[in-house]
Amino acid sequence: MLEFSILAILATCIAGMMTRAQSRKRKREALLPVWERENGKNEIEKWLEGFLAKLKRTSTRTEKCRLILAVERMQFEDDWYAAWWKHVRFGEENVKILDTGINVGKKDLQKIKITEFQKELLKSNASLKNQLIGHSEIKEEKGEWQIPAELKTKIISEGGEALIFSEKFGICENAVRVQIFDPFLFSNNFGLNFLTWKINFEKDYEQATNKEQSGKANQMPKYKNIIKNFVNIELFHKKDLKKEDCIGMGHNYGKGWRRFENCFEGRKNWN
Ligand SMILES: *[C@@H]1O[C@H](CO)[C@@H](O)[C@H](O)[C@H]1NC(C)=O
């Protein structure tokens, strides 16, 4: 019997120590910026879902415009093609970019595999398939952001397809920059339900570059001496299973880090 009770006390003692240690750890964690915390990505994700649900905008562009923009986001075998292509034609599996200018030697520039995102666009308007679409047919965007009042007060800068908010993460005041690459993103027909994302912390990039010494490819954009980029969030269409066509970005910058706000003063377009 004696043995038993000693064991019991010991057990509660350890249990008590554990909860105290855990709460100390929680307190320590709460003082850390989100991106330093153990489950930081979950916390960012929780915040992201609420935040994205509030973003709304309109667009005056068409599906044709979206397709042209989606081609502009593609990586061609020769960087020059980005400037040269004048027409594009979507087939079943491939997209062909053409230089239809007069006196051009090479008219068929490249045939590339259609992305999942482009497939989705073609599904919503099949008449765009097998049609010669001109690069210059893209229309001017006259749509606007429609931000709810509670979020509007947090806007630091607004211009074109990018918005910058001031947002608190725990004890840290940060700037969140949102940029859309697909004009329908956050419009009525293309909201949170259609989205998936990749959340990257600055330390992920550091680890990746240390491991591979890959230099450019895997780095987070850094604006030396101005702002520090802590979190990068890439948005994708849910059906883009390989996450190959990023249609929107969120950056989380340190604020107050070298007087962040001054950087944006008088600057409507942060592009
Ligand atoms: C499909 O795209 C064509 C070409 O841009 C356009 O004329 C037509 O109105 C679109 N149809 C629908 C249903 O959006």
Side-chain angles (χ1 to χ4, degrees), residues 225-242:
N225 304 326
I226 307 175
I227 34 186
K228 194 162 164 60
N229 195 350
F230 292 112
V231 187
N232 257 5
I233 300 163
E234 295 168 284
L235 303 176
F236 301 90
H237 193 291
K238 248 187 191 153
K239 297 228 169 125
D240 183 357
L241 298 179
K242 283 185 264 169

Side-chain angles (χ1 to χ4, degrees), residues 135-196:
H135 196 170
S136 60
E137 286 180 59
I138 192 159
K139 290 197 173 77
E140 195 194 336
E141 175 67 277
K142 294 202 181 101
E144 285 172 345
W145 287 99
Q146 295 170 330
I147 305 297
E150 93 231 50
L151 204 56
K152 212 158 196 166
T153 58
K154 295 181 176 176
I155 293 179
I156 304 172
S157 162
E158 178 177 357
E161 278 110 38
L163 277 180
I164 303 169
F165 297 93
S166 161
E167 186 75 88
K168 240 182 153 153
F169 293 90
I171 54 160
C172 297
E173 184 95 22
N174 282 73
V176 176
R177 179 174 187 272
V178 180
Q179 179 164 21
I180 62 166
F181 301 136
D182 178 75
F184 282 17
L185 186 56
F186 306 127
S187 68
N188 279 344
N189 305 318
F190 192 14
L192 186 61
N193 299 345
F194 291 90
L195 292 177
T196 180

Side-chain angles (χ1 to χ4, degrees), residues 240-254:
D240 183 357
L241 298 179
K242 283 185 264 169
K243 295 193 167 86
E244 60 187 348
D245 189 5
C246 170
I247 50 174
M249 278 292 255
H251 301 278
N252 181 330
Y253 301 107

Side-chain angles (χ1 to χ4, degrees), residues 22 56-57 66 73 84 109 126 166 210 233-235:
Q22 271 169 354
K56 295 267 181 295
R57 61 172 286 130
R66 299 176 77 189
R73 290 195 295 273
W84 290 350
L109 293 177
S166 161
N210 285 346
I233 300 163
E234 295 168 284
L235 303 176

Side-chain angles (χ1 to χ4, degrees), residues 2 22 36 41 49 51 65 76 99 117 156 171 178 194-195 198 213 220-221 224 237 242:
L2 189 65
Q22 271 169 354
E36 299 283 336
K41 287 213 173 142
E49 285 180 17
F51 181 74
C65 301
F76 305 124
D99 186 353
F117 185 68
I156 304 172
I171 54 160
V178 180
F194 291 90
L195 292 177
K198 229 155 77 180
Q213 295 294 326
M220 191 172 259
K224 237 186 184 168
H237 193 291
K242 283 185 264 169

